[in-house]
Amino acid sequence: MKIALMDSGIGLLAATAAVRRLRPDADLVLSLDPAGMPWGPRTPEDLTARAVAVAEAAAAHRPDALIVGCNTATVHALTALRQLLEPDLPVVGTVPAIKPAAAGGGPVAIWATPATTGSPYQRNLIRDFADGVPVTEVPCWGLAEAVEHANQAAIDEAVTAAAALTPDDVTTVVLGCTHYELVAERIRGAVRKPGRPPLVLHGSAGAVAAQALRRIGARPEPETAAEGAVTVLLNGREGALPAPALAYAEGRLLQAATPAR
């Protein structure tokens, strides 16, 4: 089994680690765009073109499924990627976990990039899946970029600023950018207030990994031997996992993997 994941940078690590835990025997192909990152500020047309190039590089390695490990790319490029690659290659997008978060009753905060916060895309998800639940959209200025570069001081600053915009009564936070899942516990510590119930965080990595397996008719087998290989593609060329990835447990989980077969 071979699963490919794509993103502009290391935001795909959370979903990659989730796939690794569900199927340690699966070969992984990670396709990144270091020459074009970040994707967030780009026009939808430019972002889609870059996403297609990254996806085609991954598809050349003949994976069984492709995960778009980026919320922004899913918004703008998922339709184009599916038109290009399916049905031969199933493409799985990443959507903020608003529906399961709202099921808890709230109040809910959605932490997302400034470009996504307040967007018609996110507002439609809130309307469809969180009707009647108090929801606060929280723009996280600079957080994805700080996580991408493992800049610890900048991460702390961005998390603190976003926490200040999060209402005190919030019980659930949706991590609306895949980068944020890499610093989930720091977000939990910044938002939770003394004397309040434990904060519930909802990311997308686990659901995305499980959906990829379902699309190819595979089942989770977490007890299998960790024999899956990892191939890293940097603008289509094989390379090493970016150094900042190793600042996170998800990146270190992949470090010991063997080269691709």
Side-chain angles (χ1 to χ4, degrees):
M1 183 192 307
K2 183 181 290 185
I3 305 293
L5 300 98
M6 57 169 282
D7 190 6
S8 62
I10 64 173
L12 52 65
L13 285 179
T16 303
V19 173
R20 188 77 167 155
R21 293 185 184 106
L22 291 178
R23 288 300 297 252
D25 59 330
D27 292 336
L28 303 173
V29 178
L30 313 186
S31 189
L32 284 68
D33 182 25
M37 61 171 294
W39 282 348
R42 294 182 176 275
T43 65
E45 296 77 15
D46 188 20
L47 188 156
T48 297
R50 300 205 70 92
V52 165
V54 169
E56 288 181 326
H61 287 252
R62 303 182 65 83
D64 299 298
L66 172 65
I67 293 172
V68 183
C70 173
N71 295 88
T72 303
T74 297
V75 172
H76 296 296
L78 184 62
T79 298
L81 293 174
R82 284 181 167 163
Q83 289 176 344
L84 177 68
L85 299 172
E86 291 188 340
D88 294 336
L89 177 59
V91 180
V92 178
T94 300
V95 177
I98 294 173
K99 184 176 182 179
V108 174
I110 304 173
W111 284 34
T113 63
T116 299
T117 300
S119 66
Y121 164 76
Q122 184 161 288
R123 291 282 168 86
N124 287 339
L125 290 175
I126 294 169
R127 181 199 64 208
D128 293 343
F129 299 120
D131 186 37
V133 175
V135 175
T136 301
E137 297 179 90
V138 178
C140 301
W141 296 94
L143 181 53
E145 293 80 1
V147 172
E148 178 69 33
H149 297 100
N151 184 328
Q152 305 304 321
I155 292 171
D156 287 341
E157 181 178 353
V159 168
T160 299
L165 300 176
T166 304
D168 289 346
D169 63 346
V170 159
T171 59
T172 305
V173 172
V174 175
L175 303 177
C177 170
T178 54
H179 281 80
Y180 303 170
E181 296 190 50
L182 301 178
V183 292
E185 291 310 309
R186 290 164 81 163
I187 293 172
R188 186 191 305 277
V191 175
R192 184 181 179 187
K193 300 296 188 293
R196 299 286 300 171
L199 184 73
V200 178
L201 299 181
H202 283 275
S204 302
V208 166
Q211 175 65 4
L213 294 182
R214 282 193 292 269
R215 288 290 305 274
I216 61 175
R219 298 176 61 85
E221 296 181 11
E223 302 305 319
T224 56
E227 297 177 345
V230 178
T231 300
V232 178
L233 304 175
L234 306 175
N235 295 112
R237 297 184 177 183
E238 291 193 28
L241 201 62
L246 303 181
Y248 306 103
E250 292 85 348
R252 294 190 294 273
L253 179 67
L254 305 175
Q255 185 179 27
T258 58
R261 291 187 289 271

